Amino acid sequence: MQQQVSVITLGVADLGRSRRFYVEGFGWAPVFENAEIAFYQMNGLVLGTWLTPRLEDDMRRAGLARPGAFALAHNVGSQDQVQPLIDRLSRAGGQVLRPGDAPPHGGFRGYVADPDDHAWEIAWNPAWPISAEGHVTFEA
Amino acid sequence: MQQQVSVITLGVADLGRSRRFYVEGFGWAPVFENAEIAFYQMNGLVLGTWLTPRLEDDMRRAGLARPGAFALAHNVGSQDQVQPLIDRLSRAGGQVLRPGDAPPHGGFRGYVADPDDHAWEIAWNPAWPISAEGHVTFEA
């Protein structure tokens, strides 16, 4: 069995507002967009932003709540990239949850929520290599 | 800017209960475990399952709610793998949200929630290639 995540789908209320965070904040480009969903090709998986009522219909579960008990992380290559990216995400409609600081296990990180309350950790983790293709490897 | 997700962290209440779903259900092996977190090396990113109070402390946000407005997907290579995996995840502590059926856009999929209410879509999507390394590519 492949240890593999194919898609992360985030429920959103307003595609334009979400798009601004991901395109202007992160600097990413969608690979597909229509009136209810946008997809971004990521590092070996796909990120989708889908209108929450459509996601609820598809998973047959109403009443999805926010903020959910999860976080996504985007790791960067050096400590000095963390806070500028948090600031840019904030200007693109994000809410800073925690400005960048040093966690007990080393490195540097902060948290920002996207316009739909989905939390992103922006981190420099010198222990975990990132390949040129963006593939991230756990190292103890 | 790399279009890259480094980590997906799921808040969990009981690491043993969560471990059973991921290890016995999906058949995955953790790359690291301690008393508060387990990490799984995935396809170019890391999946973490972390005690929810620790995640709340780290992101400086209390009151994380369930079920969150998101879904993860694990795509498989053929339609006939979908329902058996949903059944195995159910036996490992998951809750079936939607048994496998055919969505309007083609393929075959169902949804199962992990023991902490995090939704997984188990899908066969013939349009999206999966490499031998588990890397998934969007195709329209």
Side-chain angles (χ1 to χ4, degrees):
Chain A
M1 181 71 65
Q2 284 184 334
Q3 302 209 175
Q4 176 248 94
V5 179
S6 306
V7 192
I8 302 166
T9 303
L10 301 176
V12 304
D14 179 322
L15 279 164
R17 185 181 70 171
S18 173
R19 188 187 201 284
R20 183 169 162 249
F21 179 85
Y22 289 97
V23 173
E24 296 180 20
F26 274 117
W28 298 343
V31 67
F32 177 86
E33 295 179 274
N34 66 20
E36 65 176 59
I37 200 163
F39 285 115
Y40 301 82
Q41 176 65 53
M42 308 300 288
N43 48 315
L45 75 164
V46 175
L47 174 67
T49 54
W50 199 9
L51 294 177
T52 303
R54 298 287 79 73
L55 177 60
E56 290 181 330
D57 287 349
D58 203 57
M59 72 163 77
R60 296 258 169 92
R61 184 159 61 166
L64 298 184
R66 338 183 302 184
F70 76 106
L72 304 175
H74 176 78
N75 288 8
V76 295
S78 63
Q79 175 169 340
D80 64 6
Q81 294 174 266
V82 171
Q83 193 59 48
L85 178 52
I86 291 173
D87 293 342
R88 198 165 70 227
L89 290 164
S90 173
R91 290 194 300 272
Q95 177 199 352
V96 178
L97 301 173
R98 176 176 202 152
D101 65 354
H105 51 273
F108 198 78
R109 60 88 177 84
Y111 282 91
V112 55
D114 87 355
D116 295 280
D117 271 343
H118 304 304
W120 280 89
E121 181 185 11
I122 307 301
W124 170 62
N125 180 343
W128 292 14
I130 307 174
S131 76
E133 298 78 26
H135 300 314
V136 176
T137 303
F138 175 91
E139 297 284 348
Chain B
M1 180 71 65
Q2 283 184 336
Q3 301 209 175
Q4 176 248 94
V5 178
S6 306
V7 191
I8 301 167
T9 303
L10 300 177
V12 303
D14 178 323
L15 279 164
R17 186 181 69 170
S18 173
R19 187 186 201 284
R20 183 169 162 247
F21 179 85
Y22 289 98
V23 172
E24 296 181 21
F26 274 116
W28 297 343
V31 66
F32 177 86
E33 296 178 275
N34 67 20
E36 64 175 59
I37 200 163
F39 286 115
Y40 301 82
Q41 176 65 52
M42 308 301 287
N43 48 316
L45 74 165
V46 175
L47 175 67
T49 54
W50 199 9
L51 295 177
T52 304
R54 298 287 78 72
L55 177 60
E56 290 181 330
D57 286 349
D58 202 58
M59 70 163 77
R60 296 257 169 92
R61 183 159 62 167
L64 298 184
R66 336 184 306 182
F70 75 106
L72 304 175
H74 175 79
N75 288 7
V76 294
S78 63
Q79 174 170 340
D80 63 6
Q81 294 174 266
V82 172
Q83 192 59 48
L85 179 52
I86 290 173
D87 293 342
R88 198 165 69 228
L89 290 164
S90 171
R91 289 192 301 272
Q95 177 199 351
V96 178
L97 301 174
R98 175 176 202 153
D101 65 353
H105 52 274
F108 197 78
R109 60 89 177 81
Y111 283 90
V112 55
D114 86 357
D116 294 281
D117 270 345
H118 305 303
W120 280 89
E121 181 186 10
I122 307 303
W124 170 61
N125 180 344
W128 292 14
I130 307 173
S131 76
E133 296 79 26
H135 301 315
V136 176
T137 304
F138 175 91
E139 296 285 347

